[in-house]
Amino acid sequence: MSHKRSGLLPGLIVGLLSALVSAAVLGAAVLFQTRLPAAVIGFGNGHPLSLASSLVVALIVALAMGAVRPRSILLIPTAALYAGGAMAAGQIVGSSIMIGSTLRTPPAERGPADLSDVTLDNFTAGLPYAPSLYRDPLSVSWAAWLYIAVAALAALFLLTLRVVRVRRAQRAQAAEAEAESPEPEYRAPFEPAQAPTPKPTTDLFTPRNPTKD
């Protein structure tokens, strides 16, 4: 029955697709962030904007996985892995294209990033340099790891709420269905399923075989 499905397999598939979409969107945001006003980019050293991106990634992953009405608890840590991985992948992809475009473009011709910069050559040229931030000491790379942790924890929290609500609702439905179902009639051992047909009672003074007129 449908109410007994855990939603594990659909949740894994939908979560993976949503993580890939989130990584692509985040990569585009990293690449085209230079087109934003300087006041927005520089506000709080860029931390509020990056934290907001982490929450958006977590929200996309959690909503997508929650849409399949999941019951499996295994999906909760999986959502955290998907959101954290999408955050890291988006940062690396966007930074790789940005670095590759900078390396392959003369300084006099450099400008804000556009769609023409999204090429495989730029990605492969900048890929060796993009993950360097994660390999730096924690005193330097703490911000990048913080964004990943925020995305993972937010997705874990949101999907936990969804799984708890689904399991609670399905338990309530099961209890309601059990309460509405009629209780089986008790029958003693060796008692026939159908009661015997009662014989009509006769008067003591009535003859057994009365003569017809």
Side-chain angles (χ1 to χ4, degrees):
M1 297 178 62
S2 60
H3 68 277
K4 292 184 179 180
R5 295 176 182 172
S6 65
L8 178 59
L9 182 59
L12 292 175
I13 297 174
V14 173
L16 179 59
L17 294 177
S18 64
L20 294 176
V21 171
S22 301
V25 172
L26 181 61
V30 172
L31 179 61
F32 298 114
Q33 64 181 337
T34 55
R35 291 183 173 273
L36 295 175
V40 176
I41 300 176
F43 177 73
N45 292 328
H47 297 315
L49 186 61
S50 298
L51 290 174
S53 301
S54 300
L55 295 177
V56 170
V57 169
L59 188 62
I60 293 175
V61 173
L63 288 180
M65 298 179 70
V68 302
R69 294 182 58 81
R71 293 183 67 252
S72 176
I73 300 179
L74 295 176
L75 290 175
I76 296 176
T78 304
L81 293 176
Y82 280 159
M87 194 69 191
Q91 290 177 343
I92 292 175
V93 170
S95 300
S96 297
I97 297 176
M98 179 185 297
I99 296 172
S101 176
T102 303
L103 294 175
R104 293 167 55 85
T105 304
E109 299 178 6
R110 292 174 187 171
D114 53 23
L115 291 177
S116 62
D117 293 326
V118 184
T119 63
L120 183 59
D121 293 336
N122 286 339
F123 173 73
T124 54
L127 184 58
Y129 304 96
S132 61
L133 177 60
Y134 299 100
R135 295 194 294 262
D136 290 337
L138 191 60
S139 59
V140 177
S141 61
W142 66 268
W145 288 108
L146 175 64
Y147 308 147
I148 294 175
V150 169
L153 292 176
L156 186 145
F157 175 74
L158 292 174
L159 196 65
T160 299
L161 293 180
R162 178 60 174 165
V163 170
V164 169
R165 290 184 60 184
V166 170
R167 293 168 71 93
R168 186 178 301 168
Q170 292 180 348
R171 282 198 300 266
Q173 291 176 0
E176 183 179 355
E178 184 178 356
E180 292 178 355
S181 61
E183 296 183 359
E185 184 181 357
Y186 174 76
R187 190 168 65 239
F190 307 107
E191 182 181 348
Q194 184 176 2
T197 304
K199 296 181 179 180
T201 58
T202 57
D203 192 357
L204 294 176
F205 300 98
T206 302
R208 295 182 178 274
N209 296 316
T211 304
K212 295 183 179 179
D213 295 338

